[in-house]
Amino acid sequence: MAVIDKKELRPHQEDVLDKMKNGCILWGGVGTGKSLVAMAYYVLRESPKDVVVITTAKVRDSLHWEGEAASFGVGTSEDATTEGVLTVDSWNNIAKYKDLEGCFFIFDEQRLVGKGKWVKTFLKIAKKNHWIMLSATPGDTWSDYIPVFVANGWYKNKTEFEREHIVYRPFRNYPVIDHYIGTSRLLQLRSRILVELKFEKATTRHNETVVVSHDVEMLKRVTKERWNDLENRPIVDASEMFYCMRRVVNSDPSRLQAVRELCKRHPRLIVFYSFNYELEALRTLQNEIPMAEWNGHKHQEIPETEKWLYLVQYVAGSEGWNCVTTNAVCLYSLTYSYKNWEQAHGRIDRLNTEYTDLYYYCLRSRAAIDTAIYRCLQGKRSFQESRVDIKGL
């Protein structure tokens, strides 16, 4: 068995090594050092196999994993490693590794939902290789665990899991889960694979709600008259209604003014947003303060100036990077996804931050749609439009 230098690990990281095993999920909050633990586990239990890390494109390009691996003597070529050879790639390229055998895989963050290509490839890899998964938010529902349960051999496939545990709502045009059955077994199975990386951080999170306005009359036209003011026509369906409600609420000028005020308090500020129309509004501040963006189109680095705004789209940039040069985040709008919400909070809450007090400012109106979304996020749940009675909004 290989030997690691325990000085590389903190006590909370050492504690979980003996609990980890093939097919487990290492569950720890953002910034707790899951990647370092994963490499230590590889060196202790799986070396000298080659190790493949599947992560986000941003983390791959940041060379973060290469840095973690180097501390254990693991390199990216045969002549530069004391263990196996390290390969780091993105989830988009997972199919390139479906035929590998006898390797060790680290799947960084859960990307396995439903029965798409990534899930099928993951299951092929899991049959011929040892693996572990890292996650800050391992699953919102039992369905999120299906690929991992199947990979561990507890169910033959997704169909068998559904037959044993899912009850669907009747008389629907598409499958809608009503409730789960046999949850005692599911709890038992989850406890067998979920290894929690607990750590009492030295940082303190300060969450503050900044109340902003919204156009009450325009929102009434959306909710009561089902009218789309933006396109001057009737609203077609429930999905469009939710979109219109959110646009009315998120487009109010008071949100932009709130960001201006926060910039006076925090010269370096990360701003998370949801939609392109929010980005266009935020860009109007570029004449007032230096600005950079991370979204589906631009992948800019955080500015190295005394003052800056870093505009980050939730889906594109809620994970896979970190910042220790500021202690302030503005949540310009609410995201439906609890996972993205928690990951966004973690971007500044890192083990190596010099700050002890971290500030999170949530811009929130008194509109019913904001209240409903926020209530779900506070309950550590994702918001689902299908579960909302639109008559009550």
Side-chain angles (χ1 to χ4, degrees), residues 19 37 102 180 195:
K19 302 174 185 177
V37 174
Y180 293 90
V195 179

Side-chain angles (χ1 to χ4, degrees), residues 120-152:
K120 293 177 181 177
T121 304
F122 162 73
L123 293 176
K124 287 182 179 179
I125 291 172
K127 285 182 179 180
K128 297 178 288 187
N129 304 273
H130 282 190
W131 60 275
I132 62 172
M133 187 173 289
L134 315 183
S135 183
T137 50
D140 292 328
T141 67
W142 286 118
S143 295
D144 294 336
Y145 288 92
I146 293 176
V148 178
F149 285 174
V150 172
N152 273 283

Side-chain angles (χ1 to χ4, degrees), residues 6 8-17 197-199:
K6 293 290 186 178
E8 296 285 354
L9 302 178
R10 301 192 180 199
H12 76 283
Q13 296 171 324
E14 287 184 35
D15 290 343
V16 300
L17 284 175
L197 182 60
K198 296 180 179 179
F199 178 56

Side-chain angles (χ1 to χ4, degrees), residues 316-341:
S318 63
E319 60 188 20
W321 60 279
N322 60 75
C323 176
V324 293
T325 56
T326 186
N327 64 339
V329 169
C330 171
L331 304 154
Y332 190 79
S333 61
L334 302 174
T335 173
Y336 278 3
S337 168
Y338 171 70
K339 179 176 182 177
N340 288 345
W341 178 257

Side-chain angles (χ1 to χ4, degrees), residues 3-205:
V3 178
I4 63 169
D5 184 357
K6 293 290 186 178
K7 294 180 181 179
E8 296 285 354
L9 302 178
R10 301 192 180 199
H12 76 283
Q13 296 171 324
E14 287 184 35
D15 290 343
V16 300
L17 284 175
D18 290 335
K19 302 174 185 177
M20 294 173 65
K21 60 183 179 180
N22 177 47
C24 76
I25 300 175
L26 181 61
W27 168 36
V30 285
T32 52
K34 294 187 293 296
S35 55
L36 195 66
V37 174
M39 289 308 306
Y41 174 82
Y42 158 71
V43 172
L44 283 174
R45 304 284 180 81
E46 300 290 346
S47 177
K49 297 175 184 175
D50 289 341
V51 54
V52 180
V53 177
I54 303 297
T55 185
T56 64
K58 185 170 177 62
V59 173
R60 177 199 61 191
D61 296 342
S62 72
L63 303 182
H64 166 78
W65 276 98
E66 285 82 352
E68 298 284 47
S71 62
F72 296 103
V74 181
T76 57
S77 62
E78 291 185 2
D79 58 351
T81 184
T82 59
E83 311 292 340
V85 175
L86 171 71
T87 301
V88 183
D89 212 335
S90 71
W91 282 94
N92 287 330
N93 295 327
I94 189 175
K96 290 165 54 177
Y97 308 95
K98 64 181 180 181
D99 296 322
L100 287 185
E101 293 186 38
C103 297
F104 178 65
F105 279 77
I106 300 173
F107 297 99
D108 188 12
E109 290 303 339
Q110 169 69 286
R111 286 291 185 279
L112 305 172
V113 179
K115 53 182 180 181
K117 291 183 179 179
W118 287 358
V119 171
K120 293 177 181 177
T121 304
F122 162 73
L123 293 176
K124 287 182 179 179
I125 291 172
K127 285 182 179 180
K128 297 178 288 187
N129 304 273
H130 282 190
W131 60 275
I132 62 172
M133 187 173 289
L134 315 183
S135 183
T137 50
D140 292 328
T141 67
W142 286 118
S143 295
D144 294 336
Y145 288 92
I146 293 176
V148 178
F149 285 174
V150 172
N152 273 283
W154 298 327
Y155 298 91
K156 183 178 180 181
N157 49 39
K158 181 174 183 285
T159 302
E160 183 179 357
F161 179 95
E162 292 174 332
R163 185 169 58 246
E164 293 190 18
H165 296 290
I166 296 179
V167 176
Y168 289 101
R169 294 184 185 180
F171 313 116
R172 296 291 179 124
N173 293 328
Y174 55 91
V176 177
I177 295 175
D178 185 78
H179 63 278
Y180 293 90
I181 57 176
T183 53
S184 59
R185 185 186 182 216
L186 295 178
L187 286 167
Q188 183 185 44
L189 295 178
R190 185 177 64 180
S191 68
R192 290 169 61 181
I193 59 170
L194 213 54
V195 179
E196 185 174 5
L197 182 60
K198 296 180 179 179
F199 178 56
E200 296 297 328
K201 291 188 177 182
T203 56
T204 300
R205 292 186 179 187

